[in-house]
Amino acid sequence: MILPGETLGILGGGQLGRYAAIAARTMGYRVCTWDPDPESPAAMLSDDHIQGDFLSAPLREKFLSRVSAATLEFENIPSELMNLLSQSVRLSPDPVAVMVAQDRILEKEFLNKLAIPTVPYRSFQSESEVELMHDGELDLFPAILKRSRWGYDGKGQVPVKDLTDLKAAYFQLGNVPCLLEKRISLEKEVSLILSGNPKNGYAFFPLIENIHVNGILHTSVAPASVDPNVQAVAREIALLIAERLSYEGVLTVEFFLDSHGRVLVNELAPRPHNSGHFTIDSCGISQFSQQIRVLVGAPPAVPVLTGAAAMVNLLGDLWVKGDPDFSVALSSPKARLHLYGKKEARVGRKMGHITVLDESVDLALEEALRIYRHLQ
Ligand code: ADP
Ligand code: MG
């Protein structure tokens, strides 16, 4: 086991890295973050920060000379770097799991091999494959074309209604490998976060129910209001994925529940997730503390959700007329305000969130949305 006093590395410096750094420091570890951004939210709360390109060999040597183990807060860390780091330090999750999760085509193929249901899709590696498609060849329209790599918060996605649209969308996304997904009617979206490794086993947080607006997470509540069978199926699927990848770390599985009651996997995140932020205030152990526990070789702690929680994201949109007035948020005894310390607010940028704890999801969400309205 890696013991307190040693230095843990975090690849990526966003808010997820910031919480991982807080969790590590709370447990007595030193933290070294690495991010190209000099003003990253995680760097402010780390012992040490390396600023610069992930592909720089001197920076890699510097990072390796400082850390005993490393984790990530962002799945788009170059695989070259992940592979090189894994030869010298403990890295969780391992490069193969990250490679699968950072590429939608590989991810869907991996899920299909395990016979895990997903939305119907087709992948395109090149423009000529798109050109060869014929009307009526596919039953995927209306659909969404998604870049295979580098998409997040609904970015890198274009709605397409027919073949003509598809050709334009493929060009618009930059002629890169893409996935065409049937747009399905969603009954609900839920996510499940597990933590652990094959040796110590896996612990689950309660199933979370998510509402997205314009492709960006808006609210999450836990526990999700679904048939208990849905949580059982989601756990079974997440466990199968974790076991097949010999997964080490925190893994988030995003699910779609379709109008026929089916549980489909949407995508995987090889890290803590925005929808799991309620765990910071309500589960006795946060998703970030789990990440650090697994990284240092400890078994995952057992999460305990008391009552219910609702989270609402605070996007940069709330800052367009200047800093919002947080007095209502701070005055609510059931609410916890979180701000990530980002200097520049941009539309769609995640600036913070509010978690409300109450006896029921309905009460918690009502209060979270009341506070949110005061910030608008
Ligand atoms: P991101 O990486 O941006 O989170 P997702 O693939 O999860 O990308 O898409 C973001 C959101 O867009 C989803 O949470 C869902 O609300 C909606 N969405 C994505 N794919 C589909 C689909 N095939 N059918 C219906 N809605 C979808
Ligand atoms: Mg998603």
Side-chain angles (χ1 to χ4, degrees):
M1 222 182 264
I2 294 169
L3 296 172
E6 300 219 28
T7 301
L8 305 178
I10 300 172
L11 299 165
Q15 62 272 15
L16 302 180
R18 178 180 172 100
Y19 284 114
I22 296 170
R25 294 187 70 168
T26 302
M27 291 159 74
Y29 293 93
R30 292 176 53 79
V31 173
C32 173
T33 48
W34 180 359
D35 193 278
D37 180 357
E39 289 185 343
S40 80
M44 301 167 200
L45 296 182
S46 301
D47 297 275
D48 195 4
H49 179 60
I50 292 175
Q51 190 241 317
D53 197 287
F54 287 127
L55 292 174
S56 151
L59 293 185
R60 185 175 71 241
E61 289 315 313
K62 197 163 155 188
F63 185 72
L64 281 173
S65 70
R66 294 182 187 176
V67 308
S68 309
T71 184
L72 53 82
E73 63 105 45
F74 166 66
E75 58 270 37
N76 292 313
I77 305 293
S79 358
E80 300 94 293
L81 174 63
M82 296 289 292
N83 286 324
L84 288 165
L85 293 178
S86 70
Q87 291 165 15
S88 308
V89 285
R90 184 188 295 175
L91 189 61
S92 89
D94 76 52
V96 173
V98 178
M99 202 178 67
V100 169
Q102 66 183 203
D103 185 310
R104 291 185 195 276
I105 297 174
L106 286 183
E107 187 174 84
K108 284 279 197 297
E109 287 169 354
F110 166 78
L111 295 168
N112 265 27
K113 264 195 219 124
L114 296 181
I116 293 173
T118 63
V119 294
Y121 71 92
R122 184 184 155 163
S123 62
F124 297 99
Q125 294 291 343
S126 67
E127 197 181 348
S128 56
E129 288 184 21
V130 177
E131 292 295 337
L132 286 174
M133 290 244 321
H134 298 292
D135 267 328
E137 188 187 351
L138 281 172
D139 187 22
L140 294 177
F141 300 114
I144 305 174
L145 188 70
K146 302 181 178 181
R147 285 175 68 120
S148 191
R149 299 171 66 94
W150 291 101
Y152 70 99
D153 287 347
K155 294 188 178 69
Q157 303 193 7
V158 182
V160 290
K161 60 176 186 322
D162 56 28
L163 209 54
T164 317
D165 256 11
L166 173 65
K167 289 175 185 169
Y170 192 77
F171 179 73
Q172 188 186 333
L173 291 179
N175 286 340
V176 290
C178 281
L179 197 72
L180 183 70
E181 280 186 13
K182 189 176 180 65
R183 176 186 286 281
I184 62 160
S185 134
L186 301 174
E187 190 64 32
K188 272 188 181 171
E189 290 193 70
V190 297
S191 52
L192 186 67
I193 303 175
L194 68 69
S195 7
N197 66 19
K199 182 169 141 256
N200 292 320
Y202 298 100
F204 295 97
F205 284 107
L207 193 68
I208 310 154
E209 194 172 326
N210 304 313
I211 304 281
H212 293 81
V213 176
N214 300 327
I216 307 182
L217 185 66
H218 178 48
T219 58
S220 293
V221 297
S225 315
V226 291
D227 188 298
N229 183 45
V230 170
Q231 170 156 295
V233 171
R235 286 190 176 190
E236 218 172 274
I237 291 174
L239 197 57
L240 177 63
I241 294 169
E243 285 174 350
R244 197 50 70 95
L245 290 169
S246 299
Y247 198 82
E248 291 241 3
V250 172
L251 174 70
T252 306
V253 185
E254 293 181 13
F255 294 95
F256 291 150
L257 307 186
D258 76 4
S259 46
H260 306 286
R262 281 184 298 229
V263 180
L264 313 173
V265 170
N266 170 24
E267 60 171 350
L268 310 176
R271 49 165 174 78
H273 194 258
N274 190 172
S275 66
H277 284 350
F278 75 101
T279 65
I280 301 166
D281 296 303
S282 72
C283 284
I285 183 88
S286 75
Q287 55 175 349
F288 305 100
S289 299
Q290 296 285 47
Q291 181 181 19
I292 300 304
R293 289 181 64 87
V294 178
L295 179 62
V296 301
V302 181
V304 187
L305 173 69
T306 40
M311 182 221 63
V312 59
N313 263 340
L314 307 179
L315 300 184
D317 313 43
L318 297 172
W319 272 253
V320 283
K321 289 181 257 147
D323 281 357
D325 173 3
F326 289 107
S327 57
V328 172
L330 287 169
S331 304
S332 168
K334 294 183 175 177
R336 312 286 184 268
L337 174 65
H338 292 251
L339 294 171
Y340 309 144
K342 294 182 183 176
K343 294 216 171 82
E344 195 196 335
R346 289 190 298 269
V347 170
R349 191 176 197 203
K350 291 171 180 167
M351 302 297 289
H353 70 270
I354 287 168
T355 301
V356 173
L357 309 180
D358 212 324
E359 284 160 28
S360 74
V361 154
D362 289 347
L363 288 172
L365 187 58
E366 195 182 306
E367 177 66 352
L369 293 177
R370 182 187 74 85
I371 296 167
Y372 184 77
R373 280 193 295 274
H374 280 278
L375 295 170
Q376 280 177 308

